[in-house]
Amino acid sequence: MPEVVTTTPGLYPLPDWAKDELSDLKGHQKADLIDGTEGEAVQDAYGRVRSEYVERQQDAGLDRIVEGQGRWDDMIAHPLAVADAVETRGIVRYYDNNNFYREPVVTDDLEATGDVAAELESAGEQVEEGLQAVLPGPYSLADLATDEHYGDDAEFLEAVADFLAAEIAEFPDVETLFLLEPSLVENAPDDGEDARASEAIDAVADAADAEVVAHTYWGALEEKVYAHLMDADVDAIGFDFVADHEANLYNISEYGTKSDVALGLVDGQNTRVEDPGTIAERIDWVDENTPGSDFETVYATINTETFYLPVNRFEEKLDALAAVTEEVIEA
C-alpha cells in the first residue's frame, strides 16, 4: 500500500464573517477587487481568514497545509491580476461555470511580484511542517490571460512560465507545490502546443525545491496531451476521478504515470459529503485497477478548487478527507 498524503488544491470559500467585513471594506465594484495595493484593514481581514484556514486544516488533521487563497478574487488568474505589467479589464467567465474573473491583459514584460510568496510566508508562521504552495500551471494561466505584448503564443507561454518560476524563487520552504492545470482539459492544446505546454510545466517545476504535482481536473486529458505531460519532470500528475474516472484510468493504464500520483476523489463542486470509507475505497479501486503501477505516494485530494462550496460542507469534506489515512490503514 502506498503512503497516503491528504491535501487540497486550495482556493477555499470565504467565511461568512469575512464576506460581510470585506464587503464593507472593499465595496462591490470591479475596481475594488484585490490588485496588490489593498490597505491595512483589508490586509488584516485577509490575514485572519488565512489564519482560520490554516487552523481548520490542522484541526482536521490534513497532511499538507495550504494558505487557502481567500484573497484570490480572480481564482487561479490571481498571480497575473496583481502584476505591474498586467491590466485587468472586463469580467469574463471562468471556464464553463457561473464564476467570473477579471481578464488579465499583459501589456509589458512580466516580472515576479512576490505576492504569493508573502502569503506563504504568513501561512508558514503557523505551520511547522507540511506547508504546500498552490499556483496556476503555466498553460492554464496563459490560457486565461490576453497577450498584448509578446505577440506570439509560444513566446507568451514561455514568458508566463518564466514569471511563475521567478515567483517560486521567492517562496519560503514548502514541501509540495500544486500546479493547477484545468485548461489542459477544458481547452486542450493543439499539436505542437501540447509539447510546449509540457516544456513550460517542466520549466516551472524545475524552479521548485519541493515535490511538484501537475493537477488536472474537470475531466481527463486527451491521450496525446497526457503523453506529452508525462515528459514533464514533475513528481506526480493529478487526475480527476470524480468527473471522469474511466478516461483517467485509461490514461494511467495505457501510458503509465509517475511514481507518485494525485487522486481527485472528493467532489469540490457538489455539497454531498463523501465519508472516509468511500474515499478510501476509491483509492483502493484506482490501485487495484492499475496493476502496472506501483505508487510510492498517493496524494488524496479534492478534485477542484473548493470556493464553490458552502463553508460548512467544505469543512465537512476536509474532515472526511483527513480521516482517510486512518481508514486506509485499517483496511
Side-chain angles (χ1 to χ4, degrees):
M1 178 60 68
E3 179 187 13
V4 176
V5 175
T6 53
T7 187
T8 70
L11 285 107
Y12 290 170
L14 277 176
D16 289 340
W17 68 263
K19 289 179 184 176
D20 295 339
E21 184 171 333
L22 288 165
S23 178
D24 292 340
L25 290 170
K26 292 169 55 182
H28 303 279
Q29 304 301 315
K30 181 173 74 72
D32 299 319
L33 299 178
I34 289 296
D35 63 3
T37 62
E38 58 268 30
E40 186 175 342
V42 174
Q43 291 182 42
D44 177 72
Y46 278 117
R48 284 180 277 129
V49 169
R50 182 181 302 112
S51 179
E52 186 171 309
Y53 285 156
V54 170
E55 288 179 6
R56 189 63 184 83
Q57 293 169 82
Q58 291 171 327
D59 288 345
L62 288 166
D63 296 311
R64 294 288 185 272
I65 307 297
V66 300
E67 184 268 330
Q69 294 78 43
R71 184 170 156 269
W72 290 23
D73 282 330
D74 297 288
M75 284 75 83
I76 64 173
H78 167 86
L80 280 182
V82 297
D84 290 339
V86 176
E87 295 178 7
T88 55
R89 297 182 183 167
I91 299 297
V92 292
R93 185 178 294 275
Y94 186 58
Y95 298 106
D96 64 349
N97 58 50
N98 291 324
N99 294 286
F100 296 85
Y101 68 102
R102 292 171 296 177
E103 179 189 16
V105 181
V106 177
T107 59
D108 205 340
D109 288 346
L110 287 169
E111 295 182 2
T113 66
D115 185 276
V116 178
E119 292 174 330
L120 284 168
E121 289 277 5
S122 297
E125 294 174 2
Q126 293 177 251
V127 182
E128 291 187 3
E129 59 181 17
L131 184 63
Q132 174 175 297
V134 174
L135 277 177
Y139 179 75
S140 295
L141 190 56
D143 179 50
L144 293 175
T146 298
D147 171 39
E148 290 188 356
H149 176 66
Y150 292 96
D152 175 84
D153 288 347
E155 187 177 350
F156 183 52
L157 179 60
E158 183 178 357
V160 170
D162 290 344
F163 166 73
L164 291 172
E167 296 285 3
I168 291 169
E170 300 190 28
F171 281 7
D173 290 340
V174 297
E175 294 202 27
T176 47
L177 166 64
F178 260 51
L179 292 176
L180 307 184
E181 283 285 20
S183 290
L184 287 177
V185 175
E186 286 289 313
N187 187 20
D190 297 328
D191 285 348
E193 192 179 21
D194 45 15
R196 291 196 297 272
S198 174
E199 292 167 358
I201 292 169
D202 190 68
V204 175
D206 188 54
D209 185 17
E211 301 289 306
V212 179
V213 179
H215 187 54
T216 67
Y217 48 94
W218 291 330
L221 298 174
E222 296 176 2
E223 288 183 60
K224 191 176 177 187
V225 174
Y226 180 72
H228 279 294
L229 183 56
M230 280 292 291
D231 292 334
D233 189 18
V234 296
D235 297 283
I237 294 172
F239 301 89
D240 185 345
F241 273 91
V242 174
D244 195 338
H245 60 279
E246 292 292 350
N248 278 307
L249 187 69
Y250 172 82
N251 280 338
I252 295 174
S253 300
E254 186 70 17
Y255 299 99
T257 192
K258 306 291 183 178
S259 58
D260 299 340
V261 67
L263 304 178
L265 305 161
V266 174
D267 195 335
Q269 296 183 276
N270 190 304
T271 56
R272 179 177 54 81
V273 179
E274 301 84 350
D275 65 69
T278 299
I279 301 169
E281 288 174 3
R282 292 174 180 175
I283 295 173
D284 289 339
W285 184 85
V286 176
D287 193 45
E288 291 168 2
N289 285 279
T290 53
S293 300
D294 185 16
F295 303 127
E296 296 177 5
T297 301
V298 169
Y299 293 96
T301 188
I302 300 173
N303 64 332
T304 69
E305 312 105 314
T306 55
F307 64 86
Y308 313 94
L309 296 169
V311 172
N312 60 340
R313 293 291 181 263
F314 154 72
E315 292 184 338
E316 290 174 25
K317 285 177 184 263
L318 288 189
D319 291 336
L321 183 59
V324 165
T325 301
E326 183 177 348
E327 291 284 342
V328 171
I329 290 173
E330 290 178 350

